[in-house]
Every structure is written in C-alpha cells, then in structure tokens.
Amino acid sequence: MILVSACLLGQLVRYKGDGCAQELLTAPEIRKHLVPICPECAGGLPTPRPPAEIQGAGGGSGVWQGTAKVINNIGQDVTEAYCAGAQEALQITRTQPITAAILKERSPSCGTHAIYDGSFSGCKLAGQGVAAAALAQAGIPLYSEEELTAELINHLLDQDKPSTQK
C-alpha cells in the first residue's frame, strides 16, 4: 500500500478548500493500492484554514527537535495540530503494509524536498514538512507529486505485491 496526500486524490482538504488531483493516481487499479491522508485535517485543522508555514531552523525535522514551529498567516501557532496529524500518518504505517508515500510538495505537512521559508512571501527552501520528516525518520520512502511518472507508480506497485513484500 502507498500512503498518499489526500489532496492529490482530489479530496477537498487543502488550506484553500480545494484539491489537486493527479491524473496518474486516478485509475481504479491504482487507487485500490492508495491510502489517503491529510495530516493537517487528521491533526484537527478545518478546511478551509489560514495558510501556514514552518518558521525556525530545520524544517519539519526542526519542528520535532523543537527548533521550529508551524505558524499560520494570522500568527497562530498550529504546531501541535501538525504534529498530531503526522502521528496519525505514522500510525497508518504501523497498521497497514505501507511501502512508500506520495506527498504534496511544498506543504508544511507533506513537502518532501521543498517547503516555503516561513515568510509567507512565496520563497522556497530545501526541506521537509512535519509529516514528511516523521515518515522519513520511520524509513518510509517519500516521493512528491512532481516526481510522479507511470514508471515510478509501476515500480511502487510492484513493491506492493505480496511476493516482494518484506
């Protein structure tokens, strides 16, 4: 099974109240291998919600280490909700045979390679979101929707077959 950001499946869970469905994930033969999660919603945040960014050192890992926080654009500290949602994502990996995760790039929860810099100016920096950092720490291979190709999906689905599972 592959953990996937729910917004990438078209679920209306993004901070703006929309989704961003990825065509490569919509085929029924693929969807049956996907386990959707929105860590932000799982952490108790509403949809829509004010946009949030990680502020401080270390991105999502920094949140776990206490050197960064997740702050929304109206100044509220929403770190606790982001951590709770990340814990929910980790719980899924403990209860289902998750072999990889496909996550929404630049999200403060799900960013796999890049996140916004915390200034709400649109500037990006290398780093991971809170849930992505937790999943990576747990050894889950991470991919962003920007890396999706038919070949990658086929590779991930091949790993999902019982004969090749660990």
Side-chain angles (χ1 to χ4, degrees), residues 62-107:
V63 169
W64 293 109
Q65 296 165 1
T67 60
K69 293 183 179 211
V70 186
I71 307 295
N72 67 24
N73 70 343
I74 57 174
Q76 295 172 318
D77 183 339
V78 290
T79 305
E80 188 175 310
Y82 277 75
C83 290
Q87 291 292 346
E88 287 294 318
L90 284 173
Q91 184 60 29
I92 290 171
T93 70
R94 293 181 192 115
T95 60
Q96 296 193 43
I98 301 296
T99 57
I102 300 171
L103 303 174
K104 177 70 180 115
E105 195 66 274
R106 292 178 295 285
S107 159

Side-chain angles (χ1 to χ4, degrees), residues 95-142:
T95 60
Q96 296 193 43
I98 301 296
T99 57
I102 300 171
L103 303 174
K104 177 70 180 115
E105 195 66 274
R106 292 178 295 285
S107 159
S109 286
C110 297
T112 58
H113 307 295
I115 55 174
Y116 290 104
D117 71 355
S119 67
F120 296 97
S121 64
C123 293
K124 298 174 280 253
L125 54 82
Q128 295 178 321
V130 178
L135 291 166
Q137 179 68 30
I140 303 296
L142 305 179

Side-chain angles (χ1 to χ4, degrees), residues 43-57:
L45 294 173
T47 303
R49 58 190 164 273
E53 295 185 7
I54 299 172
Q55 297 180 352

